[in-house]
Amino acid sequence: MIIQFGFVTLFVASFPLAPLFALLNNIIEIRLDAKKFVAELRRPVAARAKDIGIWYNLLRGVANVAVIINAFVISFTSDFIPRMVYQYMYSPDGSMHGFVNHTLSYFNVSHFQEGKEPMDPLHLGYHIEMCRYKDYREPPWSVTPYEISKEFWTVLAVRLAFVIIFQNVVMLMSDIVDWLIPDIPKDISLQIHKEKILLVELFMREEHSKSRNLESRLSAGGKANSSNSNNNNYSTTVHPRSGPHHSTESL
């Protein structure tokens, strides 16, 4: 399950249908496991656990790494950032007209190294002097031909800024959802609170009954001691109908 979660979250931007396939797989797997535990295997012994242990930290770490990876995938493997940069910084009318021409650089075919030039320069039927390729490079007629242009650094800076903003926004949304949805449902937390109150009341009753039993024992012991002391204080007793006198000595 951890491996599946990692693949789904780490590369969801590249393959958006991965969560759907994972959901279908988990539904089928749950039903098959239920059938096996009910009809084919011996029922496992239930064990009480507070949480899923170290797996929670692993899932949280994979989720955080997935946010960063998806931010880089969206930023560096798509034309979303270059389009936005061109529309808001280089477009004369704020539209996407001329975007393709902006992303293509110039190359003079006479600058091919020896042995790298085309074998048939006239394969199109006419001579070609300039080629276009997808990159942000200075044209051959500039002071620094074929060097990285300032548009490249602008797009790179915006891409890195997008990664940072995307990461912080997703983390903030995750914290908000975590705060809105508690780990323990409200009805269960109320039931746990009621159970704690009942346990406290039971404990108080037990302590009260113990104190009452102790007081009754102490009072009974005091009465017995007082009766014994009264009996010992009688030095002699005389029966009126008896002839001789009988004396009792106190111990």
Side-chain angles (χ1 to χ4, degrees):
M1 295 302 296
I2 298 297
I3 294 174
Q4 183 193 76
F5 179 79
F7 276 110
V8 169
T9 55
L10 292 174
F11 308 108
V12 64
S14 301
F15 186 57
L17 289 177
L20 176 61
F21 290 142
L23 176 63
L24 296 176
N25 174 76
N26 292 337
I27 292 174
I28 296 173
E29 186 176 359
I30 287 173
R31 301 316 305 168
L32 291 177
D33 289 343
K35 182 178 182 302
K36 287 190 295 184
F37 282 123
V38 170
E40 298 180 6
L41 300 177
R42 180 178 294 179
R43 181 178 298 177
V45 179
R48 184 184 295 271
K50 183 179 180 180
D51 50 23
I52 59 176
I54 191 62
W55 297 110
Y56 176 78
N57 296 328
L58 290 175
L59 290 172
R60 192 172 182 84
V62 170
N64 294 333
V65 174
V67 172
I68 301 174
I69 291 179
N70 285 294
F72 275 99
V73 169
I74 295 172
S75 178
F76 285 89
T77 62
S78 65
D79 289 335
F80 170 71
I81 301 299
R83 287 175 179 272
M84 185 176 63
V85 171
Y86 176 78
Q87 183 177 1
Y88 291 102
M89 296 183 64
Y90 296 104
S91 177
D93 55 356
S95 65
M96 295 303 298
H97 182 71
F99 169 73
V100 177
N101 185 52
H102 177 75
T103 58
L104 297 178
S105 299
Y106 291 89
F107 179 75
N108 194 339
V109 295
S110 63
H111 294 165
F112 274 119
Q113 296 180 0
E114 186 178 356
K116 300 295 182 65
E117 65 274 3
M119 302 199 52
D120 186 9
L122 299 177
H123 70 283
L124 295 177
Y126 55 90
H127 182 71
I128 298 176
E129 295 182 358
M130 288 290 177
C131 290
R132 305 296 300 275
Y133 61 97
K134 188 176 179 62
D135 201 356
Y136 292 99
R137 297 278 179 172
E138 295 290 342
W141 56 82
S142 66
V143 180
T144 56
Y146 308 121
E147 294 292 333
I148 296 176
S149 63
K150 63 179 182 179
E151 289 83 0
F152 172 82
W153 298 112
T154 302
V155 173
L156 180 61
V158 175
R159 281 174 171 172
L160 295 178
F162 173 80
V163 170
I164 296 173
I165 294 173
F166 181 84
Q167 176 185 355
N168 292 328
V169 169
V170 173
M171 295 283 186
L172 179 62
M173 293 177 62
S174 176
D175 293 337
I176 292 175
V177 172
D178 191 13
W179 177 72
L180 292 176
I181 302 176
D183 295 335
I184 301 176
K186 187 175 181 180
D187 54 348
I188 296 179
S189 62
L190 291 175
Q191 186 68 26
I192 293 174
H193 183 66
K194 290 180 181 179
E195 290 179 357
K196 289 182 179 180
I197 293 175
L198 292 176
L199 287 175
V200 172
E201 291 180 354
L202 180 61
F203 178 76
M204 295 298 294
R205 290 176 183 175
E206 290 288 336
E207 292 295 327
H208 185 64
S209 62
K210 288 181 180 179
S211 62
R212 291 180 62 182
N213 291 333
L214 182 60
E215 290 178 357
S216 62
R217 290 179 182 178
L218 290 176
S219 61
K223 291 180 180 179
N225 291 331
S226 62
S227 61
N228 291 331
S229 62
N230 292 330
N231 293 330
N232 292 331
N233 288 331
Y234 293 139
S235 59
T236 57
T237 56
V238 179
H239 197 277
R241 294 183 180 180
S242 60
H245 297 281
H246 296 277
S247 62
T248 59
E249 298 179 356
S250 59
L251 297 178

